[in-house]
Amino acid sequence: LKATTKQALWLLVYFALLLLPPALVLLAPRPAARELWRELSVGLAFIGLALMGLQFIPTARLRPLTNLFPVDDTYFVHKQTSMLAFLLIAAHPLILFLFNPNTVLLLNPLTAPTRAVLGVVAAIAVAGLIATSFFRIDLGLKYEPWRGVHTVLAPAAVILALLHMLGVDYYMSLPWVRGVWIALTVLWLGLLVRTRLIKPLRLLRRPYRVTSVEAETRSAWTLTLEPDGHPGIEFMPGQFVWLTIGRSPFSLREHPFSITSSAERTDTLQFGIGEAGDFTSQIGQVPVGTTAYVDGPHGDFTIDHHRGPGYVFIAGGIGSPPIISMLRTMADRGDGTPVWLFYGNRSWEDVYCRYELEALEQRLNMHLVHVLEAPPTDGQAWEGEVGFVTAEVLDRHLPPDRNGLLYFICGPLPMIRPVTAALKTVGIPGKQVITEEYEMV
Ligand SMILES: Cc1cc2nc3c(=O)[nH]c(=O)nc-3n(C[C@H](O)[C@H](O)[C@H](O)COP(=O)(O)OP(=O)(O)OC[C@H]3O[C@@H](n4cnc5c(N)ncnc54)[C@H](O)[C@@H]3O)c2cc1C
């Protein structure tokens, strides 16, 4: 099946799961309808909860999905649809309060029936999920505690919501409606159990060892792992994994990193890691021999999925790892497809794999353009570009038949946005541009 067909099928499953509960309520025999506002309020909550439950799918790291949809798009959609789910769920009590002000009394846990208390706590859990995700940085919440909160609140919210619905026992009094909701909840929680329990158990049997950690630039390291007692993983160049170092695979302290090594080699895995925060700034101190776990590979940011007559890679700083993997793999495969690499960095000392890129230029049909904010001032004439990867820089180096090429951009969002705009300015259609953003929340 073509990737687009598979994507369409997955979306079909997604919408079917979303619309199944309300559609069944509408199509099958049901209890007598109540006031319109009450039915509307319940209907919105049903759709909101179904949408919320679906959020367990994109976060389950199912490889058939992660290898098909770009990771940044997946997390973007997850975030936006979660907000929509929250609004639909919040509409449920608000409509009740509006049309029947007495229902406000249900907010009092001392006098309200248990079913109402469960509903209120479920709604608070959903609000907590949204607030901590949309305002994580403003709330001063670090990534790992945020993940802990997320991992507890998400299942708590759906279980409480289900108990609330069972307690209200209106539509849920129909056995098949009850069956559908219980089955959906089991499916959602099953995905969580798979991600947090079954997958780590499998990873325990496939450990890796750190074989070297080398400083590559002032603030970036090359980490090398070797599989310990198993053949390692096969991956496509440009893919990433979730890496756990020196902790159990059940730990929430796992980070996504792109593989930099060639996909033609599975006996070692290499990563280029830039110092960004508490985990990455300690990477240089990881002792050789430390156990690591590798969950992956994931991602569709790869020339093995997006084949073209030529590739233009654009990286900023430590956004280069997936691109380096693609270049190394192309060199190992003897792939002569023309390649342009625009590599933006602050200074010459920040260029990751600077010498190897020169060597790769000899092995590949590659045009390498370094773009430095501060070019070297050691007296030698700087032959690269100065500043940022702008439309002018792209225009100067891209060939006239640039529209047919495929463009891969990787780095932080503040770099991806202007580069995507610059590509538009030089006439590159959006469908030719593939991006991978190094931020999830
Ligand atoms: C698909 C993908 C591939 C990546 N590949 C690389 C790579 O090859 N090389 C590289 O240097 N960096 C890569 N990153 C970025 C890297 O994951 C983060 O810099 C790192 O996790 C930061 O952790 P920290 O604790 O050092 O920093 P913190 O200060 O804790 O975090 C800095 C920022 O990184 C993000 N982040 C932190 N922890 C996580 C986590 N566990 N999962 C997801 N995001 C997190 C958050 O947005 C956070 O605001 C990649 C990110 C993604 C999403």
Side-chain angles (χ1 to χ4, degrees), residues 310-380:
Y311 304 112
V312 180
F313 297 122
I314 308 172
I318 198 62
S320 60
I323 290 168
I324 290 175
S325 175
M326 290 195 259
L327 296 175
R328 285 176 170 162
T329 307
M330 287 178 79
D332 285 351
R333 290 176 182 170
D335 187 338
T337 309
V339 168
W340 288 257
L341 170 58
F342 293 86
Y343 192 11
N345 277 287
R346 206 163 298 139
S347 77
W348 200 214
E349 285 69 40
D350 296 309
V351 180
Y352 186 77
C353 282
R354 165 173 133 187
Y355 298 108
E356 193 186 342
L357 285 175
E358 278 169 28
L360 281 168
E361 205 178 4
Q362 308 307 314
R363 292 175 68 198
L364 290 164
N365 181 3
M366 174 158 90
H367 183 67
L368 173 60
V369 183
H370 283 291
V371 186
L372 298 181
E373 282 175 56
T377 49
D378 56 5
Q380 288 182 8

Side-chain angles (χ1 to χ4, degrees), residues 136 143 242 254-258 272 274 277-280 318 321 438 441:
R136 176 177 73 85
Y143 193 88
W242 289 86
E254 43 172 4
H255 293 256
F257 291 106
S258 308
D278 47 0
F279 173 77
T280 46
I318 198 62
Y438 269 8
V441 194

Side-chain angles (χ1 to χ4, degrees), residues 61 71-72 75 136-137 141-144 146-147 219-221 238-243 252-260 271-282 298-299 318-322 410 436-441:
R61 301 191 210 152
V71 59
D72 37 13
Y75 279 87
R136 176 177 73 85
I137 293 175
L141 201 56
K142 288 203 162 227
Y143 193 88
E144 284 80 15
W146 167 79
R147 265 188 97 184
S219 58
W221 300 81
Q239 287 193 298
F240 72 93
V241 301
W242 289 86
L243 198 60
L252 288 179
R253 199 154 186 189
E254 43 172 4
H255 293 256
F257 291 106
S258 308
I259 303 168
T260 53
F271 302 91
I273 299 183
E275 293 183 11
D278 47 0
F279 173 77
T280 46
S281 55
Q282 297 300 313
H298 301 288
I318 198 62
S320 60
C410 187
E436 184 155 275
E437 195 189 307
Y438 269 8
E439 266 163 40
M440 283 182 176
V441 194

Side-chain angles (χ1 to χ4, degrees), residues 75-115:
Y75 279 87
F76 177 78
V77 170
H78 166 52
K79 210 169 166 181
Q80 303 310 315
T81 47
S82 300
M83 176 54 101
L84 180 59
F86 166 66
L87 294 176
L88 292 169
I89 290 168
H92 171 53
L94 291 180
I95 293 175
L96 293 183
F97 299 158
L98 194 68
F99 288 91
N100 183 357
N102 282 341
T103 51
V104 174
L105 296 173
L106 295 173
L107 291 176
N108 183 351
L110 300 176
T111 53
T114 311
R115 59 176 187 276

Side-chain angles (χ1 to χ4, degrees), residues 23 35 38 46 65 118-119 125 137 144 162 165 197 206-207 215 270 279 281 302 308 325 342 390:
E35 306 92 318
R38 195 185 290 272
F46 271 18
L65 270 178
L118 290 167
I137 293 175
E144 284 80 15
L162 182 73
M165 285 154 62
L197 203 67
R206 297 174 69 82
Q270 264 187 354
F279 173 77
S281 55
T302 168
S325 175
F342 293 86
T390 57

Side-chain angles (χ1 to χ4, degrees), residues 74-353:
T74 305
Y75 279 87
F76 177 78
V77 170
H78 166 52
K79 210 169 166 181
Q80 303 310 315
T81 47
S82 300
M83 176 54 101
L84 180 59
F86 166 66
L87 294 176
L88 292 169
I89 290 168
H92 171 53
L94 291 180
I95 293 175
L96 293 183
F97 299 158
L98 194 68
F99 288 91
N100 183 357
N102 282 341
T103 51
V104 174
L105 296 173
L106 295 173
L107 291 176
N108 183 351
L110 300 176
T111 53
T114 311
R115 59 176 187 276
V117 177
L118 290 167
V120 172
V121 181
I124 292 173
V126 178
L129 278 168
I130 293 294
T132 51
S133 302
F134 276 79
F135 306 108
R136 176 177 73 85
I137 293 175
D138 303 319
L139 292 170
L141 201 56
K142 288 203 162 227
Y143 193 88
E144 284 80 15
W146 167 79
R147 265 188 97 184
V149 169
H150 216 71
T151 309
V152 172
L153 285 188
V158 294
I159 292 171
L160 291 167
L162 182 73
L163 293 175
H164 164 68
M165 285 154 62
L166 288 170
V168 173
D169 200 29
Y170 193 69
Y171 288 113
M172 296 297 261
S173 63
L174 302 172
W176 57 269
V177 175
R178 216 171 31 240
V180 167
W181 276 107
I182 292 174
L184 283 176
T185 312
V186 169
L187 171 75
W188 302 331
L189 297 181
L191 287 170
L192 187 67
V193 170
R194 183 188 169 277
T195 317
R196 291 273 141 245
L197 203 67
I198 300 174
K199 201 182 241 196
L201 277 173
R202 277 199 217 129
L203 292 184
L204 267 183
R205 294 202 301 267
R206 297 174 69 82
Y208 282 74
R209 297 258 167 253
V210 173
T211 53
S212 74
V213 189
E214 283 163 18
E216 194 75 39
T217 69
R218 293 182 289 202
S219 58
W221 300 81
T222 295
L223 172 81
T224 309
L225 304 182
E226 278 181 15
D228 187 357
H230 60 94
I233 52 164
E234 291 198 357
F235 62 95
M236 291 183 277
Q239 287 193 298
F240 72 93
V241 301
W242 289 86
L243 198 60
T244 309
I245 302 180
R247 285 171 186 255
S248 108
F250 297 96
S251 160
L252 288 179
R253 199 154 186 189
E254 43 172 4
H255 293 256
F257 291 106
S258 308
I259 303 168
T260 53
S261 40
S262 163
E264 296 299 305
R265 293 190 58 180
T266 53
D267 55 338
T268 59
L269 279 183
Q270 264 187 354
F271 302 91
I273 299 183
E275 293 183 11
D278 47 0
F279 173 77
T280 46
S281 55
Q282 297 300 313
I283 206 79
Q285 275 88 60
V286 171
V288 166
T290 304
T291 304
Y293 296 96
V294 168
D295 167 9
H298 301 288
D300 96 320
F301 189 76
T302 168
I303 48 171
D304 284 4
H305 269 181
H306 306 275
R307 292 188 188 274
Y311 304 112
V312 180
F313 297 122
I314 308 172
I318 198 62
S320 60
I323 290 168
I324 290 175
S325 175
M326 290 195 259
L327 296 175
R328 285 176 170 162
T329 307
M330 287 178 79
D332 285 351
R333 290 176 182 170
D335 187 338
T337 309
V339 168
W340 288 257
L341 170 58
F342 293 86
Y343 192 11
N345 277 287
R346 206 163 298 139
S347 77
W348 200 214
E349 285 69 40
D350 296 309
V351 180
Y352 186 77
C353 282

